[in-house]
Amino acid sequence: MARYLAGRLAFCVVLLLVISWAAFFVMHLAPGDPLAMYVDPEKGFLTPDEKDILRHNLGLDRPLVVQYTYWLGNCLQGDWGYSLRSRLPVMEEVLDRLPNTLLLSGIALVVAVTLALPIGTITAVRRYGVIDYGCTIAAFAGISIPSFFFAMLVVWLFSVKLGWLPSTGMHSFAAGASGAEALWDVVRHLILPAAVLSLREVASWTRYQRSSVLDVLNQDYMRTARAKGLRETRLIVRHGVRNALIPMVTLAGLSLPELVGGSFVVETIFAWPGMGRLGVLAIQSRDFPIVMGVTMVTSTVVLAGNLLADILYAWVDPRIHYD
């Protein structure tokens, strides 16, 4: 296991360098000028001399290879640079948004797992029945509906028409709330984006869990345990569900990037102050340092999620060994 982990970690480091190189060059080759955000509407456009001075101060007049080398060296020392839009340190911007994204995506992930595992198991056990067909139709509808459409639909229904829940932000504009009142305010703002964010996961994970449980139910050891007189409920819970969790472990590992990177669409629609919305604002304003910071954090979590999924395989299935 130790040799396997060392090899995977070395591969992850190399892959992160490749990702950073590709993201840096693609971002800088995109059309547009990052100096546009420095234009003062009252004074008009910058003169060529002012642009040259500003470009030199920001280091944008250097060759891309030099810029990347300088960025990488600072990044390895913990200096991620400064945002071109807010003039704040990139690490400060990212760390300020990270807890909000962890809260939203974490709740959505818990909801998805809590609903998908029992629904998928029940539809597999009661296959080709009314419950199975109903859940199948609902799952395909959930997979097919775009997140932005479902988000606007729930905002129109629960915020505009019914007025039950707020549509944007994380806190109400009213100040002075504290304790349980402040907590309830955050919960009310959290319900709609968390529901939208968990919709696709619940739908797809239900289908994966159903397929995995069906495959396990047809195994020889399940028929042997059933022939020995083991109760059906205990058979399914103790032997069937656990052995059907391996595909779900893969999905959970691949869902970790969303836990940190957030959802660009959902966070933007609901104005949730998280990593996803920060990335959208950075892309729109060509804020290179913020884009690189969000990209590297998300990429690191993608690789960590895959590594964690491989380790969990051995815990879920004792037959799997890494020598």
Side-chain angles (χ1 to χ4, degrees), residues 53-71:
I53 294 174
L54 186 56
R55 199 180 302 275
H56 177 74
N57 292 336
L58 295 175
L60 299 176
D61 58 342
R62 305 173 185 175
L64 287 182
V65 176
V66 177
Q67 293 184 44
Y68 173 75
T69 304
Y70 182 76
W71 172 85

Side-chain angles (χ1 to χ4, degrees), residues 294-314:
V294 173
T295 300
M296 295 311 299
V297 170
T298 306
S299 302
T300 301
V301 177
V302 169
L303 298 177
N306 281 275
L307 181 59
L308 180 61
D310 289 342
I311 295 174
L312 289 177
Y313 284 156

Side-chain angles (χ1 to χ4, degrees), residues 7-319:
R8 284 294 302 270
L9 290 175
F11 175 77
C12 289
V13 171
V14 175
L15 191 56
L16 280 176
L17 290 175
V18 175
I19 292 174
S20 66
W21 176 86
F24 191 90
F25 279 83
V26 169
M27 188 65 193
H28 282 71
L29 293 176
D33 190 352
L35 300 183
M37 71 180 70
Y38 288 88
V39 176
D40 189 346
E42 297 181 357
K43 297 181 179 180
F45 295 100
L46 297 174
T47 64
D49 292 338
E50 290 174 336
K51 284 186 176 182
D52 292 339
I53 294 174
L54 186 56
R55 199 180 302 275
H56 177 74
N57 292 336
L58 295 175
L60 299 176
D61 58 342
R62 305 173 185 175
L64 287 182
V65 176
V66 177
Q67 293 184 44
Y68 173 75
T69 304
Y70 182 76
W71 172 85
L72 181 61
N74 290 336
C75 185
L76 294 177
Q77 299 177 26
D79 181 9
W80 293 5
Y82 290 82
S83 169
L84 302 180
R85 179 174 55 88
S86 65
R87 317 298 196 268
L88 295 175
V90 173
M91 183 174 293
E92 180 180 334
E93 288 266 29
V94 171
L95 294 182
D96 284 345
R97 304 295 186 99
L98 185 57
N100 301 334
T101 292
L102 289 176
L103 175 63
L104 173 61
S105 301
I107 295 297
L109 185 63
V110 170
V111 170
V113 173
T114 304
L115 294 179
L117 291 183
I119 293 176
T121 303
I122 292 173
T123 54
V125 174
R126 305 292 184 183
R127 56 189 177 277
Y128 308 129
V130 176
I131 297 178
D132 184 22
Y133 287 127
C135 292
T136 298
I137 294 174
F140 281 121
I143 296 173
S144 303
I145 297 177
S147 297
F148 72 89
F149 177 79
F150 185 60
M152 292 186 291
L153 182 63
V154 296
V155 167
W156 174 81
L157 178 60
F158 294 102
S159 298
V160 178
K161 289 295 183 181
L162 300 177
W164 292 351
L165 298 169
S167 60
T168 58
M170 186 176 176
H171 303 280
S172 298
F173 291 104
S178 61
E181 185 180 355
L183 177 60
W184 174 242
D185 183 49
V186 174
V187 171
R188 292 181 68 249
H189 285 81
L190 186 65
I191 292 176
L192 291 185
V196 174
L197 197 57
S198 62
L199 172 67
R200 184 176 296 273
E201 279 72 16
V202 172
S204 60
W205 290 12
T206 298
R207 300 302 299 168
Y208 278 111
Q209 178 69 3
R210 178 185 184 277
S211 177
S212 184
V213 172
L214 282 177
D215 182 64
V216 170
L217 291 178
N218 294 325
Q219 298 297 320
D220 292 337
Y221 63 85
M222 295 291 288
R223 287 192 289 266
T224 301
R226 189 177 290 108
K228 290 182 178 180
L230 192 65
R231 293 180 57 184
E232 190 70 18
T233 303
R234 187 178 181 184
L235 174 68
I236 294 173
V237 173
R238 186 173 180 179
H239 298 284
V241 175
R242 180 175 180 179
N243 287 285
L245 285 179
I246 294 181
M248 303 304 294
V249 169
T250 304
L251 294 176
L254 295 177
S255 297
L256 285 179
E258 294 184 6
L259 187 64
V260 176
S263 171
F264 281 55
V265 175
V266 174
E267 289 189 5
T268 301
I269 292 177
F270 290 98
W272 185 266
M275 291 275 289
R277 188 162 183 256
L278 177 64
V280 171
L281 294 175
I283 293 173
Q284 291 175 344
S285 59
R286 291 180 58 83
D287 194 344
F288 300 145
I290 293 293
V291 173
M292 290 302 300
V294 173
T295 300
M296 295 311 299
V297 170
T298 306
S299 302
T300 301
V301 177
V302 169
L303 298 177
N306 281 275
L307 181 59
L308 180 61
D310 289 342
I311 295 174
L312 289 177
Y313 284 156
W315 175 75
V316 174
D317 191 347
R319 297 171 298 178

